[in-house]
Amino acid sequence: MWLAYNELRSLSVFARDGEAGQLIDILVNDESWNVSSFVVEAGSWFFRRSFIIEPGTLASIDLEQRVISLQLSKTQLEASDELIDDPPVAYQKRNAIDRAAGWVSTWPVVKMGVSPNATAGGIPRAPLGDPHQRSMNELIGYELTTHGDSSATIDDILIESGHLVARYLVVQSKADHRKR
């Protein structure tokens, strides 16, 4: 079965003991295209936090009910890494530019007090600051070029549900954009 990223984004996420938040992003490894993490936003409008959830902690995805169920409790979710602890590569690069220019970094990447070899649900997690970790939110809208000409943009990403691997890009050609 294929899962469209745009359909998954904004699904409600439930822990074993109740509603935990909303899916706001999926992180993939840009070499293997394996899903490395799900990003869940939890909390009230005043105090929101974004947590990184490892794929091994998913219990099920129900597109009809628009729900993702986790094998974690809310307490375990709150103990998960926050997105600021392990940002996608675009934010890592932005921090490097900020540091080189002497500006205040806009995305904290320092992780304190947690082992870089931490596991979630017994599954080893990707190394912190992984240079191959990409945000699907960031990839949507990228332009694809052939022979130097911009020919299409990425509209969606299809994920194979059994293996949680991004297999296909749904693109919008420039000719299709002109028709609109």
Side-chain angles (χ1 to χ4, degrees):
M1 183 165 122
W2 298 103
L3 304 170
Y5 170 69
N6 285 332
E7 191 173 350
L8 293 173
R9 190 174 42 189
S10 80
L11 289 182
S12 295
V13 177
F14 279 79
R16 288 189 317 237
D17 52 353
E19 188 166 6
Q22 184 176 34
L23 182 71
I24 60 167
D25 200 359
I26 297 175
L27 306 179
V28 293
N29 179 292
D30 68 5
E31 292 184 317
S32 66
W33 288 95
N34 289 324
V35 171
S36 58
S37 306
F38 292 87
V39 182
V40 175
E41 188 174 67
S44 67
W45 68 270
F46 185 69
F47 184 71
R48 288 212 175 270
R49 293 172 59 193
S50 298
F51 297 99
I52 296 174
I53 305 300
E54 302 299 321
T57 64
L58 264 62
S60 66
I61 299 173
D62 185 338
L63 294 177
E64 285 184 24
Q65 298 293 318
R66 301 202 42 77
V67 168
I68 296 174
S69 298
L70 302 176
Q71 299 174 23
L72 302 172
S73 67
K74 288 182 188 178
T75 304
Q76 289 171 311
L77 175 64
E78 290 171 4
S80 298
D81 292 336
E82 286 191 64
L83 183 61
I84 61 170
D85 295 332
D86 194 9
V89 72
Y91 297 109
Q92 296 173 38
K93 299 287 185 198
R94 187 178 306 153
N95 276 349
I97 292 168
D98 290 350
R99 282 191 303 274
W103 300 330
V104 175
S105 184
T106 58
W107 190 271
V109 294
V110 177
K111 184 169 187 78
M112 303 175 75
V114 177
S115 165
N117 299 320
T119 62
I123 298 171
R125 54 183 327 276
L128 297 175
D130 185 349
H132 298 287
Q133 185 164 265
R134 304 284 178 193
S135 159
M136 284 194 180
N137 274 344
E138 179 190 336
L139 295 174
I140 300 297
Y142 269 23
E143 288 192 0
L144 304 176
T145 60
T146 56
H147 306 291
D149 293 329
S150 178
S151 58
T153 57
I154 299 174
D155 275 357
D156 205 349
I157 301 168
L158 298 181
I159 302 166
E160 184 181 349
S161 64
H163 301 288
L164 292 178
V165 177
R167 295 276 188 210
Y168 297 102
L169 300 176
V170 177
V171 299
Q172 182 79 36
S173 74
K174 292 292 182 176
D176 290 341
H177 283 293
R178 285 189 285 265
K179 289 180 190 176
R180 291 184 179 177

